[in-house]
Amino acid sequence: FKDNPGLGELEVIYKPFWLYDSSIEGSMVYKATKVRTWSDSKYDYCETKYYTVSVDGSVEYANVPADGSKRLDDNVMDSLEPFDYSKMLDFEPGYLSGHMAERFDVDADSNLERTKTRMLNSTETCFLSSVKGYSYVTKSSNNLKQTSRDAHYALLPVYVFSIAYGGKKYDYAVNGQTGKIVGELPFSKKLYRIWKWTRIAIIFAIIYALCFFFG
């Protein structure tokens, strides 16, 4: 696959993105337990204590990206993150010289719920990480809400290419800042069968050896 001559033309594109600033605030309630075990000369003991833990707070988000183009799958574009937004500049037409640029065909409002979900999930993870010192923690209730929201338009550098292989087209995207590559690799049934039967053979060889030496 790596030596396949079916490599399509490499496109250097400034892709449209919406960058969202927002605040998420509220509270989370967790059920938590502490488990302690010990033994003496006669018995083994297990003590379990139960707690209700409440976490309140807010998280500020800046430049949460969402793809503004329908050309590539949103999951692919999300996987290209992160971009370094500290290097962003005010737009000048000269920056596009020798490159292609796409205009957005997905407006800012269309991505509001998707980016809100990402922020809520990240906030839950942040709150959960603050609950420490317990053996087990489970979520009991969620009272988080978005309190502010703003969107900015940006063009971010992305390389796009495709490879035709085995009668199928594989699309790839590259983060123009970091070189991170995202895309689907072909699945080789032949190599999978070789890997599967090799593992089985090794397992049986180990079992046979153990039986021979210790049986």
Side-chain angles (χ1 to χ4, degrees):
F1 176 74
K2 291 187 295 183
D3 299 329
N4 175 55
L7 176 64
E9 181 181 357
L10 179 68
E11 298 180 71
V12 184
I13 307 174
Y14 280 101
K15 298 282 290 182
F17 279 81
W18 294 103
L19 305 180
Y20 297 85
D21 300 336
S22 186
S23 298
I24 303 292
E25 66 178 34
S27 62
M28 299 282 297
V29 177
Y30 304 92
K31 297 297 184 182
T33 59
K34 286 184 178 180
V35 178
R36 185 170 71 97
T37 58
W38 70 96
S39 302
D40 59 21
S41 59
K42 292 185 177 181
Y43 301 103
D44 295 325
Y45 303 91
C46 179
E47 176 189 75
T48 303
K49 295 182 178 181
Y50 298 87
Y51 300 86
T52 297
V53 182
S54 179
V55 180
D56 301 282
S58 63
V59 180
E60 301 291 327
Y61 292 93
N63 296 327
V64 177
D67 184 16
S69 170
K70 296 178 181 177
R71 178 178 176 183
L72 293 176
D73 185 83
D74 287 338
N75 292 326
V76 171
M77 301 309 291
D78 290 347
S79 298
L80 283 178
E81 299 173 27
F83 288 90
D84 183 359
Y85 301 115
S86 68
K87 297 183 181 298
M88 286 195 301
L89 301 172
D90 291 336
F91 177 76
E92 293 286 347
Y95 295 145
L96 302 183
S97 178
H99 303 84
M100 292 188 294
E102 292 183 356
R103 187 180 184 278
F104 73 89
D105 52 15
V106 177
D107 61 30
D109 290 342
S110 299
N111 281 312
L112 288 178
E113 285 304 312
R114 192 165 75 88
T115 53
K116 178 182 177 181
T117 299
R118 291 186 66 183
M119 295 177 201
L120 288 171
N121 290 339
S122 295
T123 303
E124 285 195 24
T125 301
C126 179
F127 279 25
L128 178 60
S129 67
S130 69
V131 183
K132 300 177 180 179
Y134 299 94
S135 304
Y136 304 99
V137 178
T138 58
K139 182 173 69 175
S140 176
S141 66
N142 176 340
N143 185 29
L144 297 175
K145 60 182 180 180
Q146 192 174 47
T147 57
S148 65
R149 184 174 60 201
D150 195 12
H152 314 278
Y153 188 56
L155 295 173
L156 302 179
V158 176
Y159 297 90
V160 177
F161 65 95
S162 62
I163 295 178
Y165 182 80
K168 182 178 177 180
K169 180 183 175 184
Y170 295 86
D171 294 318
Y172 297 91
V174 184
N175 184 313
Q177 284 185 314
T178 66
K180 181 181 181 181
I181 302 175
V182 176
E184 176 191 3
L185 288 173
F187 179 77
S188 172
K189 294 182 179 179
K190 178 181 177 181
L191 290 177
Y192 173 72
R193 286 194 294 267
I194 293 174
W195 172 82
K196 176 182 176 181
W197 288 110
T198 300
R199 287 194 64 187
I200 293 174
I202 291 173
I203 291 172
F204 274 106
I206 293 173
I207 293 174
Y208 176 80
L210 292 174
C211 292
F212 180 80
F213 287 106
F214 300 104

